[in-house]
Amino acid sequence: MAKAHNKSNDLVSLEPHKGQLTGFWFQDSIEFVPGCTLNIKIKDFLCRTRSKFQDIWVVETQGLGRMLVIDGVTMLTEFDEFAYHEMISHVPLIVHPKPSRVLVIGGGDGGVVREVLKHPEVESVHLCEIDEDVVNVCREYLPSQAGSLDDPRVKIFYEDGAKFASDHPGSYEVIIVDSTDPFGPGQVLFQRPFFLSMKKALTRYGIAVTQCESIYLHRQVIEGVFSFAKKLYPVTGYYFTLVPTYPSGLIGFSFCSLGRDPIKDLDEARAKRIKGLRYYSPEIHRGAFALPRFASQFIKA
Ligand code: SPD
């Protein structure tokens, strides 16, 4: 189990605690400051199952639509998932000149795939999800996300994402890593060997974007990722999006590119043509890379 404590003020432990259900209130198991967490009122349990890898729940909340919870941690709510899925997907896809083959690692709920398919340049999407039960549960209970998985351009692989990337050199224009947090099956996706495999799996102007936690809570995780990412990739950056139902209300991404610059190479005309957006715009894209002073001190991308 990985622990990520902020040395200066001991902000956060990434190990989920147990007992986060109090009556019909769900409490995210990431306690972001001791004694500080987010509670969400639940109307109904739609699904509670234990897969080979993890606990998977889908609940109907009182005010946020349906919510997917894995091992006690909020993965998405229908209320604000668009802010996460649009930003993890459209930023790399709009910077790459021709993203025809896309690999999504994790993301078995289908939210990222739904966004990727909004790009007419995309010819195929490979989704590599380690846990088949996540896909099955989401197909049944979260059609707003998993409906995308029936698109003929999508092929699903139930495999370990790190191994999949190392088995497919030179295969993808864009790789998007929609992982859980760095414990359990998601832990390897925050480590150097995986970032090296991703680099090899990319084609010439390839871009990889990975879920990279919160600037308020996970300084050590972010510093760890950038300590090797910036040595492996010629261009790196960190950007974030606002997701009120994640601990601290935001979450960020690592941007790792073999050459394309996330700001200079933004194709504004193409960005304006994407249909059905609620968060992403060229202005938000640029602004998302502007970091608060405290974060730019430790993120030397
Ligand atoms: N702290 C939770 C981070 C979860 C990121 N992945 C969410 C999956 C949504 N598709």
Side-chain angles (χ1 to χ4, degrees):
M1 284 274 190
K3 274 214 172 230
H5 281 283
N6 178 321
K7 272 188 214 132
S8 54
N9 51 5
D10 199 26
L11 272 183
V12 65
S13 163
L14 278 179
E15 274 187 31
H17 61 75
K18 297 291 170 197
Q20 66 276 15
L21 265 183
T22 321
F24 270 74
W25 284 91
F26 165 78
Q27 188 174 86
D28 194 299
S29 66
I30 296 179
E31 192 170 320
F32 54 98
V33 175
C36 186
T37 180
L38 183 76
N39 284 4
I40 294 174
K41 187 95 182 259
I42 294 171
K43 269 203 320 209
D44 201 6
F45 274 93
L46 304 176
C47 169
R48 279 172 97 165
T49 186
R50 169 93 208 153
S51 75
K52 205 161 75 175
F53 301 96
Q54 50 209 352
D55 286 325
I56 307 166
W57 303 349
V58 179
V59 300
E60 190 73 54
T61 69
Q62 185 173 294
L64 304 171
R66 293 187 176 184
M67 174 166 72
L68 172 67
V69 177
I70 291 185
D71 277 346
V73 177
T74 304
M75 289 295 118
L76 66 87
T77 74
E78 287 183 313
F79 171 73
D80 57 11
E81 54 79 20
F82 62 94
Y84 176 87
H85 291 133
E86 289 186 20
M87 289 300 279
I88 197 173
S89 307
H90 300 307
V91 167
L93 289 165
I94 220 64
V95 169
H96 194 283
K98 195 176 181 315
S100 45
R101 290 159 297 171
V102 177
L103 170 63
V104 178
I105 292 179
D109 52 74
V112 171
V113 171
R114 182 194 65 207
E115 296 305 315
V116 170
L117 291 171
K118 289 180 180 170
H119 292 253
E121 299 80 12
V122 171
E123 288 165 13
S124 75
V125 187
H126 287 175
L127 173 70
C128 180
E129 164 63 60
I130 197 167
D131 192 345
E132 186 167 0
D133 288 356
V134 171
V135 173
N136 292 336
V137 164
C138 293
R139 279 193 196 278
E140 186 161 358
Y141 298 101
L142 282 164
S144 59
Q145 317 297 305
S148 64
L149 302 177
D150 294 328
D151 189 285
R153 285 175 286 172
V154 179
K155 189 163 178 199
I156 307 180
F157 301 83
Y158 296 111
E159 292 179 37
D160 175 274
K163 181 169 183 319
F164 190 89
S166 82
D167 289 347
H168 291 82
S171 302
Y172 301 102
E173 279 72 48
V174 171
I175 300 177
I176 299 172
V177 183
D178 178 15
S179 66
T180 51
D181 297 309
F183 51 81
Q187 191 164 6
V188 293
L189 305 178
F190 291 77
Q191 295 171 352
R192 187 182 185 281
F194 173 63
F195 276 69
L196 180 59
S197 301
M198 278 199 300
K199 181 181 179 183
K200 292 181 182 162
L202 290 170
T203 53
R204 189 158 171 224
Y205 297 108
I207 301 170
V209 161
T210 73
Q211 191 273 97
C212 203
E213 302 294 358
S214 160
I215 50 175
Y216 280 108
L217 310 180
H218 309 116
R219 176 179 173 157
Q220 288 198 338
V221 173
I222 300 168
E223 280 180 332
V225 164
F226 280 91
S227 70
F228 50 75
K230 66 185 184 198
K231 291 185 192 137
L232 291 172
Y233 292 84
V235 181
T236 54
Y238 183 91
Y239 68 101
F240 67 93
T241 184
L242 306 177
V243 184
T245 57
Y246 283 158
S248 84
L250 54 80
I251 194 160
F253 310 100
S254 79
F255 179 99
C256 300
S257 147
L258 297 183
R260 303 285 286 182
D261 182 276
I263 308 291
K264 289 192 214 128
D265 293 318
L266 191 177
D267 184 339
E268 186 137 357
R270 246 173 72 216
K272 287 190 173 144
R273 288 199 295 270
I274 311 169
K275 301 268 188 306
L277 297 178
R278 297 173 68 199
Y279 192 96
Y280 179 88
S281 69
E283 294 75 22
I284 284 285
H285 177 133
R286 287 190 204 94
F289 285 86
L291 301 181
R293 285 177 194 273
F294 80 90
S296 51
Q297 275 167 11
F298 66 84
I299 303 173
K300 310 248 184 289

